[in-house]
Amino acid sequence: MNLIDNVFAKLKSEGRTALIPFLTIGDPDLATSVTMLKTLEDAGADMIELGVPYSDPLADGPVIQRASERALRNRITLVDCIHVAEQAREAGVKLPFILFTYFNPVLQYGLDRFFELVRSKGISGLIIPDLPIEEDEEVRALAEAADVHLIPLVAPTSKDRVVRISRKARGFVYCVSSLGVTGVRADFHSGIDDFLATVREATDLPIAVGFGISSREQVERFEKQVDGVVVGSAIVRTIENALPLLADAARREEGLRKIGDFVSQLRG
């Protein structure tokens, strides 16, 4: 059984909702990313999205774009990000990892090689936001053979495609709470509650919501409707604000503590 399924089953039995932070791997460096994965687990994360830095993102807002630019200046690659998962396992991190990447790096690396690598390095899930379901047959087959869940994004604008997307999903369905790119928001799409209900009716899988969630109050706003809440830009911005501390060996633990404290507040 895939680790993602195990975690959702356990949380359901406990009446809890999964907290799913997103990190841009390699920001500020690979070693710190490994340490931050342990920090987030200790702070209450249930699974973590590993964001692969990319120069031409489709879904990333300005905060995550800046993090990608910092990581790319360090020449962080897709393979580096996958190896961070392995290093975090060696450091004792047990929660599931979900790789968030665009399709071109995967295609350039080679689909067969890619899935051999993710299977061997402890990746449980995969999100490729620019790969539509109409074109994902080969990737889906390889993912299922590797026991890696291919997790789709569905948006309020998906409309009649919601059922088709949800039926092909594995692991969980990732519901986009707002139109446009990622980023901290005060308000969500006006039809978000009806949209989440539509997705819930379309699948027996867990559903998670993300894009724009940045506070404990917003997490609570969705907890009774979904099985998981994804927080990305707010965490990446917290890391950005802590960069001077992380760069100072004498204050590095203080920087990590600030990041962990923010995630603990989200958990409540």
Side-chain angles (χ1 to χ4, degrees):
M1 192 175 186
N2 186 291
L3 193 55
I4 291 172
D5 302 327
N6 290 340
V7 169
F8 274 120
K10 180 176 183 292
L11 291 172
K12 183 177 182 180
S13 72
E14 297 171 350
R16 296 198 296 121
T17 302
L19 177 62
I20 311 173
F22 170 99
L23 291 183
T24 300
I25 300 302
D27 176 36
D29 56 67
L30 293 174
T32 303
S33 291
V34 173
T35 304
M36 282 195 286
L37 292 176
K38 181 61 176 168
T39 298
L40 297 190
E41 182 178 56
D42 292 343
D46 297 294
M47 51 191 83
I48 301 179
E49 288 184 22
L50 311 181
V52 177
Y54 190 57
S55 59
D56 189 24
L58 171 76
D60 298 336
V63 173
I64 295 177
Q65 284 185 35
R66 290 197 300 271
S68 286
E69 289 167 3
R70 290 190 294 269
L72 289 170
R73 283 197 291 270
N74 293 333
R75 305 172 94 57
I76 303 302
T77 67
L78 172 67
V79 174
D80 290 330
C81 296
I82 296 170
H83 281 291
V84 161
E86 179 184 39
Q87 292 161 22
R89 286 278 180 261
E90 292 170 352
V93 179
K94 295 181 173 58
L95 47 66
F97 296 132
I98 300 162
L99 194 71
F100 186 110
T101 182
Y102 291 89
F103 185 55
N104 190 55
V106 175
L107 186 64
Q108 292 296 319
Y109 188 72
L111 294 179
D112 290 327
R113 290 176 65 210
F114 171 77
F115 280 102
E116 287 174 8
L117 187 62
V118 295
R119 176 169 53 186
S120 68
K121 302 304 180 187
I123 303 292
S124 299
L126 177 63
I127 298 173
I128 307 178
D130 59 342
L131 180 65
I133 60 166
E134 292 82 4
E135 300 172 19
D136 73 356
E137 186 173 343
E138 183 178 9
V139 170
R140 181 171 302 281
L142 289 167
E144 293 196 3
D147 191 27
V148 174
H149 285 332
L150 186 60
I151 299 161
L153 296 178
V154 291
T157 52
S158 298
K159 297 183 179 177
D160 59 331
R161 299 176 76 246
V162 167
V163 172
R164 285 193 292 135
I165 294 170
S166 299
R167 285 178 178 170
K168 281 193 169 187
R170 295 292 183 271
F172 64 92
V173 179
Y174 188 145
C175 303
V176 175
S177 67
S178 308
L179 303 181
V181 297
T182 60
V184 174
R185 289 177 172 84
D187 299 304
F188 300 98
H189 183 265
S190 59
I192 183 63
D193 299 302
D194 290 339
F195 166 60
L196 292 174
T198 298
V199 178
R200 177 69 79 190
E201 290 174 4
T203 182
D204 293 328
L205 290 175
I207 67 172
V209 65
F211 280 50
I213 297 171
S214 61
S215 67
R216 175 61 197 161
E217 291 73 23
Q218 291 176 339
V219 170
E220 287 179 337
R221 186 245 188 274
F222 289 111
E223 276 184 326
K224 293 182 180 178
Q225 297 170 275
V226 300
D227 306 284
V229 178
V230 181
V231 182
S233 293
I235 292 174
V236 175
R237 185 178 61 184
T238 302
I239 294 168
E240 184 175 57
N241 292 339
L243 288 176
L245 299 175
L246 296 172
D248 182 347
R251 303 188 70 190
R252 186 167 180 269
E253 290 302 318
E254 180 185 349
L256 291 168
R257 189 164 55 252
K258 285 182 178 295
I259 296 161
D261 287 347
F262 179 69
V263 173
S264 294
Q265 290 168 13
L266 293 170
R267 163 57 68 201

PDB file of all heavy atoms in Angstrom, residues 167-195:
ATOM      1  N   ARG A 167     -11.797  10.635 -11.619  1.00  0.00           N
ATOM      2  CA  ARG A 167     -11.840   9.182 -11.782  1.00  0.00           C
ATOM      3  C   ARG A 167     -10.482   8.593 -12.135  1.00  0.00           C
ATOM      4  O   ARG A 167     -10.230   7.415 -11.873  1.00  0.00           O
ATOM      5  CB  ARG A 167     -12.871   8.808 -12.850  1.00  0.00           C
ATOM      6  CG  ARG A 167     -14.314   8.935 -12.357  1.00  0.00           C
ATOM      7  CD  ARG A 167     -15.317   8.615 -13.429  1.00  0.00           C
ATOM      8  NE  ARG A 167     -16.681   8.708 -12.905  1.00  0.00           N
ATOM      9  CZ  ARG A 167     -17.776   8.674 -13.663  1.00  0.00           C
ATOM     10  NH1 ARG A 167     -17.655   8.555 -14.980  1.00  0.00           N
ATOM     11  NH2 ARG A 167     -18.980   8.758 -13.111  1.00  0.00           N
ATOM     12  N   LYS A 168      -9.611   9.389 -12.729  1.00  0.00           N
ATOM     13  CA  LYS A 168      -8.272   8.915 -13.071  1.00  0.00           C
ATOM     14  C   LYS A 168      -7.261   9.140 -11.953  1.00  0.00           C
ATOM     15  O   LYS A 168      -6.134   8.675 -12.028  1.00  0.00           O
ATOM     16  CB  LYS A 168      -7.767   9.625 -14.342  1.00  0.00           C
ATOM     17  CG  LYS A 168      -8.334   9.074 -15.635  1.00  0.00           C
ATOM     18  CD  LYS A 168      -7.530   9.623 -16.805  1.00  0.00           C
ATOM     19  CE  LYS A 168      -7.871   8.899 -18.092  1.00  0.00           C
ATOM     20  NZ  LYS A 168      -6.976   9.321 -19.189  1.00  0.00           N
ATOM     21  N   ALA A 169      -7.662   9.846 -10.931  1.00  0.00           N
ATOM     22  CA  ALA A 169      -6.725  10.234  -9.869  1.00  0.00           C
ATOM     23  C   ALA A 169      -6.266   9.024  -9.063  1.00  0.00           C
ATOM     24  O   ALA A 169      -6.950   8.005  -8.974  1.00  0.00           O
ATOM     25  CB  ALA A 169      -7.387  11.254  -8.947  1.00  0.00           C
ATOM     26  N   ARG A 170      -5.089   9.177  -8.477  1.00  0.00           N
ATOM     27  CA  ARG A 170      -4.567   8.225  -7.510  1.00  0.00           C
ATOM     28  C   ARG A 170      -4.058   9.016  -6.303  1.00  0.00           C
ATOM     29  O   ARG A 170      -3.535  10.124  -6.459  1.00  0.00           O
ATOM     30  CB  ARG A 170      -3.426   7.399  -8.106  1.00  0.00           C
ATOM     31  CG  ARG A 170      -3.845   6.493  -9.256  1.00  0.00           C
ATOM     32  CD  ARG A 170      -4.760   5.367  -8.783  1.00  0.00           C
ATOM     33  NE  ARG A 170      -5.120   4.458  -9.863  1.00  0.00           N
ATOM     34  CZ  ARG A 170      -6.178   4.612 -10.656  1.00  0.00           C
ATOM     35  NH1 ARG A 170      -6.977   5.647 -10.492  1.00  0.00           N
ATOM     36  NH2 ARG A 170      -6.448   3.728 -11.603  1.00  0.00           N
ATOM     37  N   GLY A 171      -4.195   8.447  -5.117  1.00  0.00           N
ATOM     38  CA  GLY A 171      -3.698   9.119  -3.915  1.00  0.00           C
ATOM     39  C   GLY A 171      -4.695  10.099  -3.341  1.00  0.00           C
ATOM     40  O   GLY A 171      -5.292   9.868  -2.297  1.00  0.00           O
ATOM     41  N   PHE A 172      -4.877  11.208  -4.029  1.00  0.00           N
ATOM     42  CA  PHE A 172      -5.894  12.187  -3.677  1.00  0.00           C
ATOM     43  C   PHE A 172      -6.108  13.124  -4.857  1.00  0.00           C
ATOM     44  O   PHE A 172      -5.330  13.117  -5.816  1.00  0.00           O
ATOM     45  CB  PHE A 172      -5.538  12.969  -2.403  1.00  0.00           C
ATOM     46  CG  PHE A 172      -4.303  13.836  -2.475  1.00  0.00           C
ATOM     47  CD1 PHE A 172      -4.377  15.179  -2.838  1.00  0.00           C
ATOM     48  CD2 PHE A 172      -3.057  13.328  -2.135  1.00  0.00           C
ATOM     49  CE1 PHE A 172      -3.244  15.991  -2.873  1.00  0.00           C
ATOM     50  CE2 PHE A 172      -1.916  14.118  -2.162  1.00  0.00           C
ATOM     51  CZ  PHE A 172      -2.013  15.452  -2.538  1.00  0.00           C
ATOM     52  N   VAL A 173      -7.165  13.892  -4.790  1.00  0.00           N
ATOM     53  CA  VAL A 173      -7.446  14.909  -5.803  1.00  0.00           C
ATOM     54  C   VAL A 173      -7.091  16.263  -5.207  1.00  0.00           C
ATOM     55  O   VAL A 173      -7.555  16.621  -4.122  1.00  0.00           O
ATOM     56  CB  VAL A 173      -8.926  14.889  -6.238  1.00  0.00           C
ATOM     57  CG1 VAL A 173      -9.192  15.975  -7.282  1.00  0.00           C
ATOM     58  CG2 VAL A 173      -9.308  13.516  -6.778  1.00  0.00           C
ATOM     59  N   TYR A 174      -6.275  17.019  -5.926  1.00  0.00           N
ATOM     60  CA  TYR A 174      -5.797  18.323  -5.462  1.00  0.00           C
ATOM     61  C   TYR A 174      -6.723  19.392  -6.047  1.00  0.00           C
ATOM     62  O   TYR A 174      -6.723  19.632  -7.247  1.00  0.00           O
ATOM     63  CB  TYR A 174      -4.357  18.521  -5.941  1.00  0.00           C
ATOM     64  CG  TYR A 174      -3.620  19.734  -5.402  1.00  0.00           C
ATOM     65  CD1 TYR A 174      -2.257  19.667  -5.144  1.00  0.00           C
ATOM     66  CD2 TYR A 174      -4.262  20.952  -5.172  1.00  0.00           C
ATOM     67  CE1 TYR A 174      -1.547  20.762  -4.681  1.00  0.00           C
ATOM     68  CE2 TYR A 174      -3.570  22.050  -4.701  1.00  0.00           C
ATOM     69  CZ  TYR A 174      -2.214  21.951  -4.459  1.00  0.00           C
ATOM     70  OH  TYR A 174      -1.523  23.038  -3.984  1.00  0.00           O
ATOM     71  N   CYS A 175      -7.507  20.011  -5.186  1.00  0.00           N
ATOM     72  CA  CYS A 175      -8.469  21.028  -5.600  1.00  0.00           C
ATOM     73  C   CYS A 175      -7.845  22.415  -5.470  1.00  0.00           C
ATOM     74  O   CYS A 175      -7.363  22.781  -4.396  1.00  0.00           O
ATOM     75  CB  CYS A 175      -9.726  20.957  -4.741  1.00  0.00           C
ATOM     76  SG  CYS A 175     -10.542  19.355  -4.749  1.00  0.00           S
ATOM     77  N   VAL A 176      -7.883  23.177  -6.546  1.00  0.00           N
ATOM     78  CA  VAL A 176      -7.320  24.523  -6.564  1.00  0.00           C
ATOM     79  C   VAL A 176      -8.379  25.490  -6.034  1.00  0.00           C
ATOM     80  O   VAL A 176      -9.477  25.587  -6.584  1.00  0.00           O
ATOM     81  CB  VAL A 176      -6.883  24.907  -7.991  1.00  0.00           C
ATOM     82  CG1 VAL A 176      -6.405  26.352  -8.043  1.00  0.00           C
ATOM     83  CG2 VAL A 176      -5.800  23.954  -8.478  1.00  0.00           C
ATOM     84  N   SER A 177      -8.032  26.193  -4.966  1.00  0.00           N
ATOM     85  CA  SER A 177      -9.026  27.017  -4.271  1.00  0.00           C
ATOM     86  C   SER A 177      -9.295  28.355  -4.944  1.00  0.00           C
ATOM     87  O   SER A 177     -10.301  28.989  -4.673  1.00  0.00           O
ATOM     88  CB  SER A 177      -8.560  27.284  -2.836  1.00  0.00           C
ATOM     89  OG  SER A 177      -7.403  28.097  -2.838  1.00  0.00           O
ATOM     90  N   SER A 178      -8.372  28.793  -5.808  1.00  0.00           N
ATOM     91  CA  SER A 178      -8.471  30.133  -6.384  1.00  0.00           C
ATOM     92  C   SER A 178      -8.055  30.081  -7.846  1.00  0.00           C
ATOM     93  O   SER A 178      -7.279  29.214  -8.258  1.00  0.00           O
ATOM     94  CB  SER A 178      -7.564  31.118  -5.638  1.00  0.00           C
ATOM     95  OG  SER A 178      -7.791  31.065  -4.251  1.00  0.00           O
ATOM     96  N   LEU A 179      -8.548  31.008  -8.613  1.00  0.00           N
ATOM     97  CA  LEU A 179      -8.134  31.113 -10.000  1.00  0.00           C
ATOM     98  C   LEU A 179      -6.775  31.787 -10.079  1.00  0.00           C
ATOM     99  O   LEU A 179      -6.415  32.612  -9.238  1.00  0.00           O
ATOM    100  CB  LEU A 179      -9.163  31.915 -10.799  1.00  0.00           C
ATOM    101  CG  LEU A 179     -10.593  31.369 -10.771  1.00  0.00           C
ATOM    102  CD1 LEU A 179     -11.514  32.235 -11.618  1.00  0.00           C
ATOM    103  CD2 LEU A 179     -10.638  29.927 -11.237  1.00  0.00           C
ATOM    104  N   GLY A 180      -5.984  31.455 -11.079  1.00  0.00           N
ATOM    105  CA  GLY A 180      -4.670  32.065 -11.250  1.00  0.00           C
ATOM    106  C   GLY A 180      -3.580  31.223 -10.621  1.00  0.00           C
ATOM    107  O   GLY A 180      -3.754  30.038 -10.339  1.00  0.00           O
ATOM    108  N   VAL A 181      -2.438  31.858 -10.371  1.00  0.00           N
ATOM    109  CA  VAL A 181      -1.259  31.147  -9.871  1.00  0.00           C
ATOM    110  C   VAL A 181      -1.271  31.082  -8.351  1.00  0.00           C
ATOM    111  O   VAL A 181      -2.116  31.667  -7.688  1.00  0.00           O
ATOM    112  CB  VAL A 181       0.037  31.840 -10.359  1.00  0.00           C
ATOM    113  CG1 VAL A 181       0.126  31.796 -11.876  1.00  0.00           C
ATOM    114  CG2 VAL A 181       0.111  33.285  -9.860  1.00  0.00           C
ATOM    115  N   THR A 182      -0.296  30.341  -7.797  1.00  0.00           N
ATOM    116  CA  THR A 182      -0.184  30.235  -6.347  1.00  0.00           C
ATOM    117  C   THR A 182       0.129  31.596  -5.737  1.00  0.00           C
ATOM    118  O   THR A 182       0.683  32.482  -6.389  1.00  0.00           O
ATOM    119  CB  THR A 182       0.933  29.256  -5.966  1.00  0.00           C
ATOM    120  OG1 THR A 182       2.177  29.737  -6.499  1.00  0.00           O
ATOM    121  CG2 THR A 182       0.653  27.872  -6.498  1.00  0.00           C
ATOM    122  N   GLY A 183      -0.198  31.738  -4.454  1.00  0.00           N
ATOM    123  CA  GLY A 183       0.105  32.978  -3.744  1.00  0.00           C
ATOM    124  C   GLY A 183      -0.825  33.149  -2.566  1.00  0.00           C
ATOM    125  O   GLY A 183      -1.937  32.608  -2.541  1.00  0.00           O
ATOM    126  N   VAL A 184      -0.376  33.921  -1.590  1.00  0.00           N
ATOM    127  CA  VAL A 184      -1.178  34.173  -0.398  1.00  0.00           C
ATOM    128  C   VAL A 184      -2.387  35.024  -0.776  1.00  0.00           C
ATOM    129  O   VAL A 184      -2.270  36.007  -1.507  1.00  0.00           O
ATOM    130  CB  VAL A 184      -0.328  34.899   0.660  1.00  0.00           C
ATOM    131  CG1 VAL A 184      -1.181  35.311   1.852  1.00  0.00           C
ATOM    132  CG2 VAL A 184       0.829  34.000   1.097  1.00  0.00           C
ATOM    133  N   ARG A 185      -3.574  34.640  -0.276  1.00  0.00           N
ATOM    134  CA  ARG A 185      -4.802  35.363  -0.592  1.00  0.00           C
ATOM    135  C   ARG A 185      -5.643  35.584   0.658  1.00  0.00           C
ATOM    136  O   ARG A 185      -5.612  34.781   1.590  1.00  0.00           O
ATOM    137  CB  ARG A 185      -5.641  34.566  -1.606  1.00  0.00           C
ATOM    138  CG  ARG A 185      -5.056  34.530  -3.008  1.00  0.00           C
ATOM    139  CD  ARG A 185      -5.916  33.659  -3.917  1.00  0.00           C
ATOM    140  NE  ARG A 185      -5.478  33.760  -5.302  1.00  0.00           N
ATOM    141  CZ  ARG A 185      -4.486  33.060  -5.827  1.00  0.00           C
ATOM    142  NH1 ARG A 185      -3.816  32.216  -5.066  1.00  0.00           N
ATOM    143  NH2 ARG A 185      -4.143  33.204  -7.102  1.00  0.00           N
ATOM    144  N   ALA A 186      -6.424  36.643   0.616  1.00  0.00           N
ATOM    145  CA  ALA A 186      -7.377  36.875   1.692  1.00  0.00           C
ATOM    146  C   ALA A 186      -8.715  36.213   1.382  1.00  0.00           C
ATOM    147  O   ALA A 186      -9.451  35.825   2.283  1.00  0.00           O
ATOM    148  CB  ALA A 186      -7.584  38.377   1.886  1.00  0.00           C
ATOM    149  N   ASP A 187      -9.041  36.060   0.085  1.00  0.00           N
ATOM    150  CA  ASP A 187     -10.329  35.510  -0.327  1.00  0.00           C
ATOM    151  C   ASP A 187     -10.102  34.397  -1.347  1.00  0.00           C
ATOM    152  O   ASP A 187      -9.093  34.373  -2.049  1.00  0.00           O
ATOM    153  CB  ASP A 187     -11.204  36.598  -0.960  1.00  0.00           C
ATOM    154  CG  ASP A 187     -11.499  37.734   0.016  1.00  0.00           C
ATOM    155  OD1 ASP A 187     -12.019  37.443   1.099  1.00  0.00           O
ATOM    156  OD2 ASP A 187     -11.191  38.881  -0.324  1.00  0.00           O
ATOM    157  N   PHE A 188     -11.083  33.494  -1.433  1.00  0.00           N
ATOM    158  CA  PHE A 188     -11.011  32.381  -2.358  1.00  0.00           C
ATOM    159  C   PHE A 188     -12.111  32.515  -3.407  1.00  0.00           C
ATOM    160  O   PHE A 188     -12.979  33.370  -3.310  1.00  0.00           O
ATOM    161  CB  PHE A 188     -11.132  31.064  -1.590  1.00  0.00           C
ATOM    162  CG  PHE A 188     -10.038  30.892  -0.564  1.00  0.00           C
ATOM    163  CD1 PHE A 188     -10.256  31.197   0.775  1.00  0.00           C
ATOM    164  CD2 PHE A 188      -8.779  30.460  -0.943  1.00  0.00           C
ATOM    165  CE1 PHE A 188      -9.243  31.067   1.707  1.00  0.00           C
ATOM    166  CE2 PHE A 188      -7.755  30.324  -0.012  1.00  0.00           C
ATOM    167  CZ  PHE A 188      -7.991  30.632   1.309  1.00  0.00           C
ATOM    168  N   HIS A 189     -12.061  31.658  -4.406  1.00  0.00           N
ATOM    169  CA  HIS A 189     -13.068  31.672  -5.458  1.00  0.00           C
ATOM    170  C   HIS A 189     -14.463  31.617  -4.833  1.00  0.00           C
ATOM    171  O   HIS A 189     -14.719  30.854  -3.898  1.00  0.00           O
ATOM    172  CB  HIS A 189     -12.839  30.467  -6.381  1.00  0.00           C
ATOM    173  CG  HIS A 189     -13.767  30.424  -7.545  1.00  0.00           C
ATOM    174  ND1 HIS A 189     -14.934  29.702  -7.543  1.00  0.00           N
ATOM    175  CD2 HIS A 189     -13.691  31.018  -8.756  1.00  0.00           C
ATOM    176  CE1 HIS A 189     -15.548  29.860  -8.706  1.00  0.00           C
ATOM    177  NE2 HIS A 189     -14.809  30.644  -9.459  1.00  0.00           N
ATOM    178  N   SER A 190     -15.377  32.436  -5.349  1.00  0.00           N
ATOM    179  CA  SER A 190     -16.694  32.589  -4.722  1.00  0.00           C
ATOM    180  C   SER A 190     -17.490  31.294  -4.688  1.00  0.00           C
ATOM    181  O   SER A 190     -18.338  31.105  -3.811  1.00  0.00           O
ATOM    182  CB  SER A 190     -17.496  33.669  -5.456  1.00  0.00           C
ATOM    183  OG  SER A 190     -17.653  33.318  -6.831  1.00  0.00           O
ATOM    184  N   GLY A 191     -17.207  30.389  -5.618  1.00  0.00           N
ATOM    185  CA  GLY A 191     -17.937  29.126  -5.647  1.00  0.00           C
ATOM    186  C   GLY A 191     -17.163  27.965  -5.071  1.00  0.00           C
ATOM    187  O   GLY A 191     -17.479  26.802  -5.362  1.00  0.00           O
ATOM    188  N   ILE A 192     -16.184  28.237  -4.210  1.00  0.00           N
ATOM    189  CA  ILE A 192     -15.271  27.198  -3.749  1.00  0.00           C
ATOM    190  C   ILE A 192     -15.995  26.082  -3.002  1.00  0.00           C
ATOM    191  O   ILE A 192     -15.677  24.900  -3.162  1.00  0.00           O
ATOM    192  CB  ILE A 192     -14.145  27.805  -2.873  1.00  0.00           C
ATOM    193  CG1 ILE A 192     -13.132  26.716  -2.450  1.00  0.00           C
ATOM    194  CG2 ILE A 192     -14.699  28.542  -1.680  1.00  0.00           C
ATOM    195  CD1 ILE A 192     -12.403  26.070  -3.578  1.00  0.00           C
ATOM    196  N   ASP A 193     -16.994  26.408  -2.200  1.00  0.00           N
ATOM    197  CA  ASP A 193     -17.662  25.377  -1.404  1.00  0.00           C
ATOM    198  C   ASP A 193     -18.455  24.423  -2.304  1.00  0.00           C
ATOM    199  O   ASP A 193     -18.404  23.199  -2.126  1.00  0.00           O
ATOM    200  CB  ASP A 193     -18.570  26.013  -0.356  1.00  0.00           C
ATOM    201  CG  ASP A 193     -17.787  26.877   0.623  1.00  0.00           C
ATOM    202  OD1 ASP A 193     -16.878  26.335   1.272  1.00  0.00           O
ATOM    203  OD2 ASP A 193     -18.052  28.084   0.709  1.00  0.00           O
ATOM    204  N   ASP A 194     -19.157  24.963  -3.285  1.00  0.00           N
ATOM    205  CA  ASP A 194     -19.883  24.116  -4.232  1.00  0.00           C
ATOM    206  C   ASP A 194     -18.909  23.286  -5.057  1.00  0.00           C
ATOM    207  O   ASP A 194     -19.178  22.114  -5.365  1.00  0.00           O
ATOM    208  CB  ASP A 194     -20.745  24.970  -5.159  1.00  0.00           C
ATOM    209  CG  ASP A 194     -21.929  25.606  -4.436  1.00  0.00           C
ATOM    210  OD1 ASP A 194     -22.306  25.089  -3.353  1.00  0.00           O
ATOM    211  OD2 ASP A 194     -22.453  26.609  -4.936  1.00  0.00           O
ATOM    212  N   PHE A 195     -17.787  23.887  -5.414  1.00  0.00           N
ATOM    213  CA  PHE A 195     -16.771  23.172  -6.195  1.00  0.00           C
ATOM    214  C   PHE A 195     -16.226  21.980  -5.413  1.00  0.00           C
ATOM    215  O   PHE A 195     -16.129  20.860  -5.932  1.00  0.00           O
ATOM    216  CB  PHE A 195     -15.642  24.143  -6.566  1.00  0.00           C
ATOM    217  CG  PHE A 195     -14.393  23.494  -7.081  1.00  0.00           C
ATOM    218  CD1 PHE A 195     -14.409  22.715  -8.219  1.00  0.00           C
ATOM    219  CD2 PHE A 195     -13.185  23.679  -6.414  1.00  0.00           C
ATOM    220  CE1 PHE A 195     -13.243  22.118  -8.689  1.00  0.00           C
ATOM    221  CE2 PHE A 195     -12.026  23.094  -6.874  1.00  0.00           C
ATOM    222  CZ  PHE A 195     -12.050  22.307  -8.012  1.00  0.00           C
TER     223      PHE A 195
END
